[in-house]
Amino acid sequence: MEYSPDGRSRAGQPAARRDRIERMVTRILFVCLGNICRSPAAEGVFRHLAEEAGLGHVFVVDSAGTSGWHIGEPADARMREAAAMRGIRLTSRARQVSQDDFDEYDWIFAMDATNLRHLRRQAPSDYHHKIRLFREFDPEEPGADVPDPYYGGPEGFVEVLDIVTRTSRELLAFLTSDRHTGTHDPA
Ligand code: 4NP
């Protein structure tokens, strides 16, 4: 972007104002393997909690998979049903993580240690500081994986929602704390 001497961008908007507006939004991406169970749940729950707190406008929230196995599919019906029981609609369509995501998102949260490893392998090293394990923020069992519910029974989907809800609450508090509000630099 080029600026004229009066500080306006070529688009005509004062540069400082545009920068302020851009910095107010924090972009976060949740990542699991298939992008049909755990990360869509995290996306839906985090967005719901942010909206409930009147902070919906502060976050851009999305999810993706390290695999491309389910591209274009809605979240698993069992996951959608468990979320609907708590008044949360999951609206995502599965997609695979792209190289652009590392640039476009301020924070990328892996649902388990395998996802984390894949993301760190895929991302250029100057983006590694953005990539974190989601359950670092779990107040009950920090550092654990979100268990993959895909091959199990319905109780696994309820467990995922419990984990994702308490962890998202902590994450929201962290991301809206003084240190992190309005920053693009998670380091
Ligand atoms: P997710 O769960 O990573 O939480 O979306 C899975 C979905 C699909 C498969 C594995 C895990 N799968 O093997 O197709």
Side-chain angles (χ1 to χ4, degrees):
M1 180 72 71
E2 285 180 44
Y3 299 99
S4 60
D6 70 357
R8 286 178 178 272
S9 73
R10 283 222 166 135
Q13 199 174 35
R17 178 173 151 73
R18 202 214 60 217
D19 283 350
R20 241 188 349 261
I21 290 167
E22 282 183 357
R23 273 197 230 111
M24 277 168 61
V25 173
T26 298
R27 301 174 62 88
I28 65 180
L29 182 70
F30 296 104
V31 176
C32 62
L33 174 61
N35 191 210
I36 55 170
C37 299
R38 294 165 291 173
S39 61
E43 175 192 339
V45 167
F46 185 90
R47 187 181 293 126
H48 179 83
L49 292 173
E51 283 169 2
E52 210 172 54
L55 296 168
H57 59 290
V58 176
F59 296 99
V60 171
V61 188
D62 197 8
S63 64
T66 55
S67 80
W69 300 340
H70 296 277
I71 287 174
E73 293 178 24
D76 187 287
R78 298 165 294 175
M79 195 75 253
R80 280 185 283 134
E81 193 175 320
M85 295 290 285
R86 299 181 184 197
I88 298 170
R89 269 186 74 218
L90 304 185
T91 56
S92 62
R93 290 275 169 179
R95 70 174 182 87
Q96 191 167 16
V97 174
S98 75
Q99 289 307 115
D100 287 346
D101 287 327
F102 299 119
D103 198 39
E104 287 177 9
Y105 287 88
D106 301 309
W107 297 88
I108 299 173
F109 295 107
M111 293 293 111
D112 67 29
T114 305
N115 307 147
L116 183 70
R117 208 165 43 244
H118 283 152
L119 286 167
R120 292 224 165 111
R121 204 178 299 145
Q122 187 181 343
S125 57
D126 42 335
Y127 292 107
H128 283 197
H129 64 285
K130 296 182 173 187
I131 304 169
R132 305 278 284 264
L133 188 66
F134 176 63
R135 285 185 78 184
E136 265 183 53
F137 297 89
D138 183 352
E140 290 187 19
E141 213 185 322
D145 290 346
V146 180
D148 181 352
Y150 188 68
Y151 292 106
E155 67 285 353
F157 293 85
V158 173
E159 186 191 7
V160 166
L161 277 181
D162 288 342
I163 291 168
V164 158
T165 301
R166 67 174 186 252
T167 303
S168 292
R169 281 206 183 97
E170 288 293 314
L171 188 55
L172 182 61
F174 172 75
L175 293 176
T176 53
S177 66
D178 285 351
R179 191 171 158 228
H180 295 285
T181 299
T183 178
H184 269 261
D185 179 11

